[in-house]
Amino acid sequence: MNLVDAFNRKIQNVRISIQDKCDLRCVYCMPENGVKWLDKKEQLTFSEIFKLIEVFNDLDVKKIKLTGGEPLLRKDVIELIKKITIDLPKIELSMTTNGVLLSKYGKQLFNAGLRRVNISLDTLNHDKFEEITRKNKLNQVLEGIKCAIEVGLEVKINAVSIKNFNDDKKSLNEFINFSERNNIPIRFIELMPFTGNKWNFDNYVSSEELRETIKSSNKLIPLKIADKSSTAKYWGTEKNKATVGFISSVSESFCENCNRIRVTAEGKLRPCLHRHLEYDLRPYLNGQKRFENISKFIQMAINEKWKEHPNFLALRYKPPIDDREMIRIGG
Ligand code: SAM
Ligand code: SF4
């Protein structure tokens, strides 16, 4: 059985939050006053997460991304990766991390079979890093990136773009130089509205504006992408020394080709990132409901995927106030 939604989009990409907690407090992800963490017993267990990934594997899901919160704060993360890569070799497994613990775990992650990591980094400036993450940990992240590259992980850097914070020529050039020096792609993500993150037109900057700023000192050459469902569009700088991606979730929504769903750390399936609707998978994983019915339940949830999310740039658009914060969804 394949998972196909009401608009004929085949679901092949699942992001699973394996840890709601985080060691950074990025202002666009976690509200100033924090969020209520889950009790340990509220979180999916090792065997529930694995069972779920097995189910997705049987449903022809190709890609699983482990996320959070911060996935590396989960104690059994290495064991989990080992089990997935050994028992389910068809799954393309990756992880999104803030990089703080990567220098500690990089080698173990690689040895466990992980091959790809996306590392979030919004600035290369120490003061700005502390302003945006509310923690003074840039050195740890830079060490983490170095370690990930050295052990052989395929690394991509993701930076959330924020107006008057990291959208100026100097900041963008620092990222491009970093990408060139380390031979890793840098991707700029448009800031999205979530409950508690105070999104508005004053802190939002579009990919197009970033490209214009970059072009004032660099040549940008569009690169072809093979994967239609990829959320990023790529450009190369002159002689393709740096690869620069743009994830334009706000200005150019990619709902039309969306093939992804999310599962929160307590096992709620969210068919759409920006839709309040959730389906509780845990009863099927812990024996309260018949496990044989989980695939039908997942398909029912997928039938509820929106054709497209609201236009965040519409005049009347109001950011959500009572949905989950991004940190509790899992990015
Ligand atoms: N802690 C890990 C990390 O930071 O990579 C994984 C979880 S984090 C929620 C996943 C991704 O979501 C990060 O790349 C982060 O920058 C992105 N993100 C969080 N809030 C966002 C927002 N409001 N708009 C765009 N991206 C956001
Ligand atoms: Fe933590 Fe990642 Fe959210 Fe930052 S973006 S607060 S690192 S979960």
Side-chain angles (χ1 to χ4, degrees):
M1 177 176 158
N2 286 332
L3 295 171
V4 180
D5 77 1
F7 305 97
N8 217 19
R9 295 171 297 199
K10 192 170 168 193
I11 305 306
Q12 296 202 301
N13 193 321
V14 182
R15 298 179 157 224
I16 303 183
S17 171
I18 60 166
Q19 171 62 278
D20 64 315
K21 295 161 197 70
C22 190
D23 43 4
L24 298 182
R25 300 172 65 87
C26 305
V27 296
Y28 47 74
C29 180
M30 152 107 84
E32 205 167 351
N33 297 329
V35 294
K36 190 178 173 300
W37 299 135
L38 295 175
D39 284 342
K40 189 145 194 281
K41 59 178 186 320
E42 290 174 293
Q43 275 199 2
L44 290 183
T45 62
F46 182 101
S47 67
E48 287 167 348
I49 296 175
F50 183 72
K51 247 194 214 174
L52 189 56
I53 297 177
E54 266 186 324
V55 170
F56 285 128
N57 184 55
D58 290 344
L59 290 169
D60 207 25
V61 162
K62 302 273 187 266
K63 295 184 182 177
I64 299 279
K65 179 163 285 192
L66 303 179
T67 180
E70 175 47 43
L72 291 179
L73 286 177
R74 186 161 174 132
K75 294 279 178 286
D76 51 17
V77 60
I78 304 288
E79 284 313 303
L80 182 64
I81 289 171
K82 215 181 267 173
K83 188 151 176 65
I84 300 167
T85 56
I86 291 174
D87 292 2
L88 306 171
K90 273 196 334 213
I91 291 282
E92 286 177 43
L93 186 68
S94 63
M95 175 186 280
T96 297
T97 169
N98 61 30
V100 172
L101 291 171
L102 260 183
S103 59
K104 185 169 171 195
Y105 291 122
K107 185 87 196 152
Q108 293 177 61
L109 289 168
F110 187 86
N111 289 343
L114 188 72
R115 292 293 175 263
R116 291 193 194 104
V117 278
N118 289 352
I119 307 176
S120 304
L121 176 63
D122 304 326
T123 172
L124 291 158
N125 173 292
H126 285 268
D127 293 336
K128 283 186 166 186
F129 185 90
E130 191 162 351
E131 182 187 334
I132 206 73
T133 66
R134 304 182 178 116
K135 298 278 175 184
N136 177 10
K137 294 189 178 180
L138 176 59
N139 280 339
Q140 280 159 262
V141 177
L142 294 175
E143 280 302 311
I145 294 173
K146 192 165 157 238
C147 170
I149 296 170
E150 276 169 11
V151 301
L153 288 165
E154 189 189 306
V155 173
K156 288 190 188 110
I157 304 294
N158 285 335
V160 175
S161 299
I162 302 162
K163 187 128 192 152
N164 298 328
F165 175 76
N166 59 7
D167 64 332
D168 55 292
K169 195 151 114 179
K170 181 166 176 280
S171 304
L172 293 169
N173 278 335
E174 277 170 3
F175 269 127
I176 289 174
N177 293 338
F178 186 79
S179 161
E180 280 183 10
R181 266 200 319 279
N182 293 292
N183 197 20
I184 49 179
I186 163 79
R187 311 192 305 172
F188 298 107
I189 308 179
E190 288 183 350
L191 181 70
M192 291 182 280
F194 293 103
T195 293
N197 80 350
K198 300 190 180 144
W199 183 91
N200 62 50
F201 290 110
D202 296 334
N203 52 25
Y204 165 77
V205 53
S206 71
S207 302
E208 186 55 36
E209 289 172 274
L210 297 180
R211 282 194 292 270
E212 286 309 312
T213 308
I214 294 172
K215 278 188 210 159
S216 65
S217 51
N218 289 275
K219 204 165 183 182
L220 279 183
I221 304 143
L223 302 176
K224 284 222 161 63
I225 39 158
D227 182 0
K228 230 179 39 165
S229 69
S230 166
T231 50
K233 287 188 183 152
Y234 288 97
W235 273 256
T237 53
E238 207 156 4
K239 301 199 187 92
N240 280 339
K241 280 207 262 164
T243 303
V244 188
F246 297 89
I247 303 184
S248 313
S249 352
V250 174
S251 64
E252 285 175 58
S253 145
F254 25 72
C255 296
E256 197 186 334
N257 295 317
C258 177
N259 69 352
R260 65 187 57 196
I261 53 173
R262 288 177 162 77
V263 180
T264 70
E266 69 269 57
K268 304 273 166 61
L269 187 156
R270 275 180 80 105
C272 287
L273 174 60
H274 296 284
R275 189 172 188 187
H276 203 297
L277 189 70
E278 296 176 350
Y279 292 82
D280 194 2
L281 299 177
R282 198 164 197 196
Y284 294 92
L285 300 166
N286 66 11
Q288 281 176 21
K289 291 191 176 164
R290 288 166 66 91
F291 180 67
E292 306 84 88
N293 293 339
I294 191 167
S295 303
K296 261 201 212 144
F297 187 66
I298 292 174
Q299 177 60 60
M300 190 185 81
I302 280 163
N303 292 341
E304 294 305 319
K305 263 179 85 65
W306 264 339
K307 183 166 186 228
E308 56 195 6
H309 63 64
N311 177 1
F312 306 136
L313 299 174
L315 228 52
R316 276 166 219 255
Y317 175 73
K318 295 251 181 309
I321 49 170
D322 56 0
D323 193 0
R324 279 175 190 262
E325 302 77 10
M326 178 51 152
I327 188 159
R328 295 198 308 120
I329 298 175

